[in-house]
Amino acid sequence: MVLWKPSPSPRRKGLPMEQEATLPTEAASSLELRDYLMVIRKRRWLIFYLAATVFAIGAMVTFSSPKIYEASTLVAIRQQPSGILLLPTPQGQPQTGQGISMETQRLLVTSKEVVSQAAEKLREQKIGVSEGEIAGSLSSSVEKAGDVIRISARHTNPQYAHAIANAVAEAFVEINRLMAAQQARTERQLIDQRVAELESELAQTEEEIRRFKEEHRIVDLTAEAEQQVQRYTALEQQRDQLEAEVAQQRARLAEIERALATEQEVIPAAVENPVVTGLRKELTDLQLQLISAQARYQEAHPQIRTLRAQIREAEGQLQAALRQSPKAEQLVPNAALQELRAQRAEARFRIVALESQLAALRRYLSEQQALLEQLPLKQFQLDELERKRRVTEQLYLDMLQRQVAARIREGSEPGSAQIIDTGRVPAKPVSPRPERTLPFALALGLALALGMTFFIEYLDDTVKTPDDVERRLGMTFLGVIPYTQMERTLVPLEHPKSPAAEAYRTVRSNLKFTALREFPKALLITSAGAGEGKTMTACNLAVVLAQAGHKVLLVDTDLRRPAMHRVFETDNTVGITSYLVGDRAFEEVVQRTETPNLFVVTSGPLPPNPSELLEMERMGEFLREAKEFADVVLLDSPPAIVVTDAIVLAPRVDGVLLVAEFGRVTREALRQVRHLLDTAQARIVGVVLNKLKAEQGGYYYYYYYYYYYHYGYYGKEGRRSTRHRARSTA
């Protein structure tokens, strides 16, 4: 609803300009909130029923939904390095457990193997929950601490929810321990094999040194030569280690590239087939394990071969399951692809750094080799053998240390996962939550109801406020007449102190103020449609004008459905039609009423051609005689849109007063009436809103506010009378 602002009234003598400019503005500003409150009050039952309906639906859904309980278990992941043999753990990349990231660990919680083992544990506890139910109830998240995973399970039975969460946590910890034990066993076997190889190489090198010394009869080298050889030997050891690390990193990068070639940018989101989800998680785990293993072992290593075979088998199973599964409509980024890209970037950076170090070392070795070539050839050959022995011996000692550590770890590997909190059986459900759902349903209902209310009000094109008349239609608002059930009653005579009587007096006063220079001598009263109360408005307005001391002549020009003779209970055998056809003179058609100063001219016999009769020159003569006879001439005419009678008479009078029924006539209808009257070059003096009903009580206060501020400026006596009228109307 648009805020109504009263049009500026003529400034009266003795009224300060500041007061005249301030009060209407304050009134208009204060009415903005009341404008909305009136709409709410008008349609309060619609708002109540809509809000109550939505609230009832929300309550019904809330209390009919099964109660869902959630239990959680916390599992801590112990961080440990992922390097096994010669390579250290790559820096700058967080690792946990067996070199697997926390996000991958979180995905492993809901893997098929964990769910299957958890279902077995629950069956041992005589809890009948299927693997599908467990997978559907599970969720996992990484806590803010970074090394703790929260495993949550939901179920309608709180004991079942608690048992599922604990069973899944135990299964995850057990599988984690088995994986760690298997890795330790494999590591120990490879170290044993490597120790045997180095032991054989060391024995062979020592035998070569012995034979070389016997053959060339060499006892010892000079101190300078020994120092040079030691330096060169240390540099070669560094070079060999760097070359081995570069080769392993290149193999790791190649495997990552092969894994990336098999992955897609996006994958179907939330596949409902649990088999596809489990196979995808299993394939991701195997690829990550293969990449981690390639950073430690050669390509021909048994573990790498085993992992490649498992990956091929998992890819085949996944493709078969995808062909049997329905296609998902939504695609999401592939988390495994992002993990592989991160590892590829780390491997490339590592290779570049190692190659840079290797190039510098090779240049330095070339310089040292040139120095060694200056030594005697026999000493140089002996130094080569000694260097080879020392390198082999150092590797052998390192492998012995790793062998001892691997055997200890194989026998006591606890895994990297540990349950730190088994939680408790939930006492309250997480869904539904009436304390949240019901207030939300109520708020939603009120929002929908208010939105519907203001939307209906927006679609309502009927005239209901002075703003509709003045700002939207560009016509002067003269007043509002409350609805009364006393039909054909002259209210100012029968009930002079009623709100309706005061409303007619307000219209009379507003007509005087609107007519600035001279009150309209001849005033035509019409409406847009039938039944809007124009006849009773004309009769009651004539009465209050006569009571004010004006000599008033009321003429019934509605020659189709005349009603004025019934209101005043006068004879209708002679009227204006008698004058227009020349049967009677002006004095013969004028009838005196019981109200002083009020005279009427009824319609008389109804003619077959009212419009043509009103267009006659005889009608102009009637108006001239009427103006000479009375101070004010009021003409009651038919609706302007229905017939053309009012349009015919409009150019011949001094002004046209429109009567619009409150909440019935539309703004478009009044626009049509104005267009017709403007085309006929008629002057519209204003609009009166008629039949304001008591159930629209909010508007009573609206008009009280309007009259109090807008018409309360015209002198002390005027303010008192205006307030009285406003109170009567309210």
Side-chain angles (χ1 to χ4, degrees), residues 91-110:
Q91 297 182 358
Q93 179 178 351
Q95 301 271 345
T96 60
Q98 286 73 48
I100 304 176
S101 66
M102 285 297 296
E103 181 63 21
T104 304
Q105 294 275 16
R106 185 188 67 81
L107 294 176
L108 289 176
V109 170
T110 56

Side-chain angles (χ1 to χ4, degrees), residues 269-385:
V271 178
E272 295 181 356
N273 190 344
V275 176
V276 174
T277 303
L279 289 173
R280 184 172 284 113
K281 291 180 179 179
E282 181 180 358
L283 180 58
T284 301
D285 297 341
L286 291 173
Q287 289 174 343
L288 294 175
Q289 292 177 19
L290 176 61
I291 293 171
S292 178
Q294 285 180 332
R296 300 187 293 268
Y297 312 124
Q298 299 293 335
E299 189 66 23
H301 194 275
Q303 185 175 358
I304 293 181
R305 293 179 180 178
T306 302
L307 288 174
R308 286 193 180 280
Q310 292 176 354
I311 287 175
R312 286 193 296 270
E313 180 181 359
E315 288 176 345
Q317 294 177 358
L318 179 60
Q319 293 298 328
L322 286 175
R323 286 192 295 269
Q324 298 176 2
S325 301
K327 300 297 183 179
E329 297 181 358
Q330 183 180 2
L331 299 178
V332 297
N334 190 344
L337 186 65
Q338 297 176 1
E339 181 83 10
L340 291 173
R341 284 176 175 172
Q343 294 197 15
R344 180 181 63 181
E346 185 274 332
R348 287 177 176 175
F349 176 80
R350 184 68 177 169
I351 290 173
V352 171
L354 291 174
E355 287 180 344
S356 177
Q357 297 177 16
L358 185 60
L361 185 58
R362 283 173 177 171
R363 288 194 297 269
Y364 190 65
L365 272 173
S366 299
E367 297 175 358
Q368 293 299 318
Q369 187 174 6
L371 295 175
L372 286 175
E373 288 176 355
Q374 298 176 4
L375 297 174
L377 180 60
K378 293 180 180 180
Q379 289 185 353
F380 177 76
Q381 292 175 350
L382 181 59
D383 291 341
E384 286 288 328
L385 292 174

Side-chain angles (χ1 to χ4, degrees), residues 391-582:
V391 171
T392 306
E393 184 180 13
Q394 184 63 40
L395 290 176
Y396 177 69
L397 294 176
D398 290 343
M399 284 297 104
L400 286 178
Q401 294 178 359
R402 291 176 180 247
Q403 185 182 46
V404 174
R407 289 177 177 176
I408 295 174
R409 188 162 52 252
E410 180 183 5
S412 61
E413 178 59 61
S416 61
Q418 180 180 1
I419 298 176
I420 59 175
D421 185 4
T422 59
R424 290 178 291 183
V425 177
K428 294 182 179 180
V430 295
S431 176
R433 300 288 294 274
E435 66 276 9
R436 296 182 181 178
T437 307
L438 296 184
F440 175 77
L442 180 60
L444 178 63
L446 289 175
L448 291 176
L450 290 174
M452 181 66 70
T453 296
F454 287 110
F455 180 70
I456 294 174
E457 188 70 16
Y458 172 77
L459 295 179
D460 188 359
D461 190 40
T462 59
V463 177
K464 300 181 294 296
T465 67
D467 174 73
D468 296 335
V469 175
E470 293 187 330
R471 195 177 66 83
R472 298 193 178 187
L473 299 175
M475 293 184 284
T476 304
F477 173 71
L478 296 177
V480 60
I481 308 299
Y483 174 79
T484 176
Q485 296 181 347
M486 298 175 289
E487 296 184 0
R488 298 177 185 174
T489 301
L490 298 176
V491 178
L493 296 178
E494 303 266 342
H495 306 280
K497 295 184 178 180
S498 66
E502 292 295 335
Y504 285 115
R505 295 188 186 100
T506 301
V507 174
R508 176 192 65 190
S509 301
N510 292 345
L511 277 172
K512 292 180 181 180
F513 298 147
T514 304
L516 300 180
R517 299 179 181 176
E518 184 179 357
F519 194 87
K521 192 74 173 177
L523 186 64
L524 179 70
I525 301 176
T526 185
S527 63
E532 296 188 44
K534 60 175 181 56
T535 298
M536 291 309 303
T537 300
C539 294
N540 284 286
L541 184 58
V543 171
V544 295
L545 284 170
Q547 289 177 340
H550 300 283
K551 186 177 181 181
V552 182
L553 177 61
L554 181 59
V555 183
D556 191 353
T557 56
D558 188 349
L559 306 183
R560 303 173 188 271
R561 298 178 60 185
M564 190 180 300
H565 61 281
R566 287 191 287 270
V567 175
F568 288 95
E569 298 180 354
T570 58
D571 183 22
N572 196 31
T573 57
V574 177
I576 189 172
T577 56
S578 304
Y579 176 87
L580 295 178
V581 298

